[in-house]
Amino acid sequence: MKHFISILIIGSLFACTDKVAEIENEKIAEALKEEILQLESELLKRDLEKDVFPASELVHIVYFKMKEGLSEEQTKEAISTLESLRKIKEVKSLEVGDLGNTGDARAGSIEGLVLQMSFKSLDDLEAYQKNEFHLEQRAKLKDFFGGPPVVYDYFIK
């Protein structure tokens, strides 16, 4: 009987020790989860502040001042040449239009054409810039322009 009580006491101690260890492990696991969540939150905040998320789209806008005295046919030819750039595989979208007078005093006074294109990435824009077809069309268009184009690029998030 003495041995039975001793075994019972020792068994109870081991059971308690296992329960204590289990509770301790649960506390450690919870603390680690909280720490991981905090770290993820801080990293996300840092990434947002540093703007390291990739852009979802790159918009490339080009303003062209046209030479004075161009005929309507020459203007249509310039527009058609610009629209042909959509054949280039890296071009996601492309629009061409006249710079219109909307009566907005803040608008620039330049008259001409505007080309708006979008690309999936900066790499795609760079590939487009080097594309042989693009370079050929660009050479054709030089005769229509009254000065160098003005370019604006921005990323849509």
Side-chain angles (χ1 to χ4, degrees), residues 62-80:
V62 186
Y63 296 95
F64 302 99
K65 180 178 181 181
M66 305 304 284
K67 280 186 179 174
E68 289 186 33
L70 289 180
S71 69
E72 187 176 324
E73 188 173 308
Q74 288 172 311
T75 302
K76 285 181 182 179
E77 184 180 343
I79 291 171
S80 176

Side-chain angles (χ1 to χ4, degrees), residues 5-129:
I5 292 176
S6 295
I7 292 173
L8 191 59
I9 291 173
I10 291 172
S12 296
L13 286 175
F14 278 118
C16 288
T17 304
D18 287 346
K19 191 64 175 171
V20 168
E22 186 180 322
I23 291 170
E24 293 258 343
N25 286 340
E26 286 176 8
K27 287 180 183 179
I28 291 170
E30 280 300 315
L32 285 173
K33 283 181 190 176
E34 284 296 319
E35 196 170 320
I36 289 169
L37 287 173
Q38 181 66 30
L39 268 171
E40 286 176 340
S41 176
E42 288 173 16
L43 288 172
L44 181 62
K45 184 178 177 183
R46 185 205 68 195
D47 287 349
L48 284 170
E49 289 170 352
K50 288 187 176 182
D51 197 26
V52 297
F53 289 110
S56 62
E57 188 173 349
L58 170 60
V59 178
H60 178 68
I61 301 174
V62 186
Y63 296 95
F64 302 99
K65 180 178 181 181
M66 305 304 284
K67 280 186 179 174
E68 289 186 33
L70 289 180
S71 69
E72 187 176 324
E73 188 173 308
Q74 288 172 311
T75 302
K76 285 181 182 179
E77 184 180 343
I79 291 171
S80 176
T81 302
L82 289 170
E83 287 177 339
S84 74
L85 295 172
R86 72 172 35 98
K87 295 177 185 176
I88 298 171
K89 71 175 183 163
E90 288 84 10
V91 175
K92 186 174 171 184
S93 69
L94 183 145
E95 295 178 16
V96 179
D98 289 318
L99 289 171
N101 183 358
T102 61
D104 189 337
R106 300 169 296 171
S109 61
I110 188 171
E111 290 188 27
L113 297 176
V114 63
L115 169 68
Q116 179 171 313
M117 313 169 82
S118 68
F119 299 89
K120 289 182 181 176
S121 67
L122 182 57
D123 289 340
D124 282 357
L125 173 62
E126 290 171 352
Y128 160 80
Q129 296 287 10

Side-chain angles (χ1 to χ4, degrees), residues 134-143:
H134 168 246
L135 297 173
E136 290 169 7
Q137 302 316 302
R138 196 168 141 176
K140 285 182 190 178
L141 288 165
K142 284 187 178 185
D143 293 336

